[in-house]
Every structure is written in structure tokens, then in C-alpha cells.
Amino acid sequence: MLEGEQLLARFQELDALLTAHQDLWRPRPFTHRHLPWESDHPALAQWLRGRSLEEADASHNQPQHLAAPAPFPDLAQRSAQLCAVGSLPVIGLTPAAARLAVDVPGRKWQQIEAFAACLDFKHPASHWLDWCAGKGHLGRRLLQPGQHLTCLEYDPALIEAGQQLSARHRLQASHVQQDVMAAEAGLRLNATHTPVALHACGDLHVRLMQLANAAGCGQLAIAPCCYNRIQGERYQALSAAAKACALQLSLEDLALPMSETVTAGARVRRQRDTSMARRLAFDLLQRQLRASDDYLPTPSLSAAWLAKPFADHCRDLAALKHLSTVPEQDWPALEAAGWQRLAHVRNLELLRGLFRRPLELWLVLDRALFLQERGYRVRLGQFCPAPLTPRNLLVLAERD
Ligand SMILES: C[S@@+](CC[C@H](N)C(=O)[O-])C[C@H]1O[C@@H](n2cnc3c(N)ncnc32)[C@H](O)[C@@H]1O
């Protein structure tokens, strides 16, 4: 767990790492045929490019264990050092009412239990405010006799389902429809609330921190996710420390922390790979057609496109992008080149992968420091192991 002065110190160390190695983690292998860093580290580039797609996939979620040429091992070690935050201490939770878990998907329930077990606030909560609550599973789990619960959510179907669940479990909860980004959302908070937000995306949890601070909330808990779901074009630093940094983050950069592959079935994986290999093959074709060695963004395509023969896929996509008529090609060779590029891309991505968690921690520390600068005592740590959810960092904040 990190707290007090450790927060700023760690933030600055991460900032130094990310700033010094921007040339390694910013360019996306998917959009570059050759990455700028490859000429600086030819042995590493050649080693990564020599590996298979299967090897890349096996290393994807834990790139730090890869025995790759320099500077990979040093960077892996530094990244691991700076990303060690440890777990938050847990409290003995009152066991959940017998049937509460029944309505919640297993993994979500385990996340909720783990989140709840970390809420050791000095003052017992009197009124939980479940922020972007969905059906309100977290709030219901936290609610104890004598406490109140308000769930804010903007999707009417989720509110309705949440109301039915609360009624079924005979729990007094108010499920309120509220767009938390709307101007009047601040009226929903007051100083008696203990806001909790489990995986409220990007702007949504940032909005909570701003409104909770303004409303005088004495304590809150946030497990952030989807840092790239923001309205602006670039990341808006929150804390004075991050505002003073040179690091400027684009939406693409902000997507890096979310780029672990989720465990998918073999069929889904194959479909995803085929779609990417085709995109990469088309990218080779479009560079030739346009006589320009630049990436050309293409729209995401429905699954029906994958059922088309490869040549038709390319011709139709070229037409969609208003490119000149496609001359006859060695289609099998182009398709194979797409698969070869996919293996290269996935392996080259492993270097970016070393910066995935440092960037995430930088972003979460920016949130922690924002609250600390506003007088909160902040603790930051993991609330559950990564296999349960990779978005497993929790910020706990309290002030008198
Ligand atoms: C990733 S889900 C998390 C739900 C719940 N906290 C959980 O962990 O299961 C994010 C929730 O935010 C809601 N949401 C998205 N934008 C919102 C907004 N502007 N105002 C209120 N709720 C919003 C979505 O409908 C969704 O239920």
C-alpha cells in the first residue's frame, strides 16, 4: 500500500520512467511497419520479430518475464519495482446475506467482496452512495442495518433491475436516475455520503472526486477503469504534480493500460486474430495503392466481413476507403504477410507492455494526489489479485 509522501515520490519516479522512454511505448506496432526504436535496439527488434504469434500471446499478460535482449530485462525490472504497490489491508467483513450473491456474476461478486473488505474507514459510513452503480450490487453488499444507500445510474433498465433486486432482498435503497456528468449532478451529494465507485469509467470517477470534494464528503473509495473514456482529446492532469509534468497523453496513450487480452474462447480469439491479420494485410495493400508508407485508419467491420473471401474483403475495403481499383494480387501471399505482421506486432507490443502498468499507476496516482492536495488522507493499493480484474487498484480517501 502507498500513502502519505510515498504517493508523490512514486508518482515522480514513474513520471521519470515514462518520460525517458516515450519512444518505446508511444508508437503502436499496429500502425508502423518499422518502429522508430528498432534502429536503436536492433538485437531486441530482431529477437522479438523472430517469435511466433503463439509465443507472443503466451507472454502478453506478463511481458516482464521474457528473457529478451537489452534493454528489455532492465526495463522489466524497473517497471516491476515501480509498480509494486501491495495490497490494502482487509477488515473482517460482516458476511453477506445468504442470497445476495445469487444475482451477481461470480467474478463481479468476488470483486465486490474484495472491494468491500478494504473499506476500513475511521468513521463508519452512514449513507453509501454507489456511483455509476449499474444494478447496485456493490451498494447492496455494503449496506448494513441503520445505514442508507443511494445508487446513481443513468441506464433506466439497470435502475429498474436494481430496484427489483433491492425489493426482493428487502433492502431500503434508492435507485436514482442521474447522468453524473450533468450540471446538476452535484446536488446529489452531501457531506453525509460515503461515495463508492467500482469501475466507473474515465470521466465518471473523476467527476465523483471533484463533486465529493466540493460537497465535503469525509470519505470515498474509487477503483478506476477505462482511462481513455474521456470527452477531451487529451488527458487533463488532475493534481498539481501531474499538471507540472511534461508528459502529454493522447487518447491512444490512455488506452495502453487497458490493453491486456481478456481471456476469450478459442473461437473468439481466432476471429479476433483473423480480423487483425486482415487489417494488417490490407494496410500493406493500401500503402502500395496510395504509394505512401503511412497507416490508413479503417472502420471496425462487422463479423460478416470475415466470411468474405480475402480478396473480396480487400477490394470492398479499398472501395469503402475510396482507393483506386485494386490490381490483381498474389492474394495468398498478401494474406500470409498479414499473419506474419500480426506475429511481429504482437511480439513488438511486448515492449510497450512493460509500460502498461506504470502508466496506469501514474494515472491512479494523479487521482490520489488530487485528493491528497485537497486535504484527504489517501491510501492506494490493490483490492484484489489481477486475474479477478486487471483494474484492481483502489484509492481510499478520508478527511476530518
Ligand atoms: C463499468 S459499469 C460499472 C457498474 C458497477 N459499478 C459495477 O461494478 O458493476 C459503469 C456503469 O456506469 C454507468 N454510466 C455510464 N455513464 C454514466 C453517466 N453519465 N451517468 C451515470 N451512470 C453512467 C453505466 O450505465 C454502467 O452501469
Side-chain angles (χ1 to χ4, degrees), residues 127-155:
H127 191 152
W128 298 106
L129 185 73
D130 190 346
W131 191 258
C132 300
K135 296 179 187 172
H137 296 310
L138 173 64
R140 264 189 304 279
R141 171 62 184 98
L142 293 171
L143 188 61
Q144 294 297 316
Q147 297 179 330
H148 299 275
L149 168 63
T150 301
C151 298
L152 297 185
E153 168 59 52
Y154 77 167
D155 179 336

Side-chain angles (χ1 to χ4, degrees), residues 54-372:
E54 292 70 28
E55 285 173 312
D57 288 348
S59 315
H60 181 88
N61 283 351
Q62 279 170 339
Q64 64 276 16
H65 301 321
L66 212 58
F72 200 97
D74 286 352
L75 291 169
Q77 196 193 3
R78 186 72 184 135
S79 159
Q81 252 171 11
L82 292 185
C83 291
V85 289
S87 301
L88 287 161
V90 294
I91 48 169
L93 264 189
T94 315
R99 294 188 337 278
L100 209 53
V102 174
D103 312 297
V104 190
R107 195 175 277 242
K108 173 60 72 181
W109 180 255
Q110 287 173 280
Q111 292 169 18
I112 287 173
E113 283 282 296
F115 184 107
C118 293
L119 304 187
D120 67 337
F121 295 124
K122 204 158 85 191
H123 301 291
S126 59
H127 191 152
W128 298 106
L129 185 73
D130 190 346
W131 191 258
C132 300
K135 296 179 187 172
H137 296 310
L138 173 64
R140 264 189 304 279
R141 171 62 184 98
L142 293 171
L143 188 61
Q144 294 297 316
Q147 297 179 330
H148 299 275
L149 168 63
T150 301
C151 298
L152 297 185
E153 168 59 52
Y154 77 167
D155 179 336
L158 294 175
I159 296 165
E160 167 76 27
Q163 268 160 348
Q164 284 180 9
L165 287 170
S166 293
R168 175 151 18 113
H169 293 288
R170 297 184 200 290
L171 293 173
Q172 286 290 334
S174 91
H175 294 261
V176 178
Q177 181 171 24
Q178 177 66 53
D179 174 356
V180 301
M181 300 309 289
E184 79 285 357
L187 300 173
R188 299 286 183 194
L189 286 94
N190 66 53
T192 69
H193 287 140
T194 296
V196 287
L198 173 56
H199 298 162
C201 309
D203 280 339
L204 306 178
H205 67 259
V206 170
R207 178 94 168 131
L208 170 58
M209 296 193 309
Q210 288 158 339
L211 295 180
N213 170 54
C217 295
Q219 51 197 26
L220 63 150
I222 297 176
C225 78
C226 302
Y227 310 95
N228 56 339
R229 296 244 191 122
I230 57 171
Q231 269 156 15
E233 290 280 300
R234 308 194 72 74
Y235 182 66
Q236 296 289 320
L238 300 165
S239 63
K243 283 183 180 152
C245 292
L247 208 59
Q248 293 286 318
L249 300 170
S250 67
L251 292 181
E252 264 185 12
D253 298 334
L254 293 171
L256 176 60
M258 263 78 58
S259 62
E260 289 104 316
T261 37
V262 269
T263 16
R267 200 180 60 87
V268 174
R269 276 211 315 271
R270 182 74 191 164
Q271 216 169 43
R272 188 192 60 202
D273 289 353
T274 306
S275 152
M276 292 187 107
R278 283 189 170 197
R279 273 172 182 279
L280 289 164
F282 179 78
D283 182 56
L284 294 172
L285 179 65
Q286 68 80 13
R287 286 175 198 247
Q288 175 199 324
L289 294 177
R290 294 193 308 143
S292 156
D293 202 13
D294 290 324
Y295 179 72
L296 177 72
T298 52
S300 56
L301 303 169
S302 70
W305 279 73
L306 294 185
K308 297 184 190 202
F310 175 66
D312 292 350
H313 180 116
C314 290
R315 285 195 200 98
D316 293 353
L317 190 49
L320 199 73
K321 294 298 294 183
H322 309 293
L323 301 181
S324 57
T325 5
V326 181
E328 206 35 51
Q329 303 281 321
D330 181 347
W331 295 110
L334 183 61
E335 192 170 15
W339 281 99
Q340 178 61 71
R341 260 193 91 192
L342 182 61
H344 288 165
V345 164
R346 289 264 172 81
N347 278 294
L348 292 165
E349 277 282 349
L350 296 172
L351 182 60
R352 291 188 87 215
L354 295 180
F355 297 92
R356 202 157 56 205
R357 191 68 163 177
L359 182 56
E360 173 164 31
L361 193 52
W362 186 100
L363 290 163
V364 179
L365 280 164
D366 184 26
R367 283 139 180 80
L369 290 167
F370 169 89
L371 292 167
Q372 193 180 54

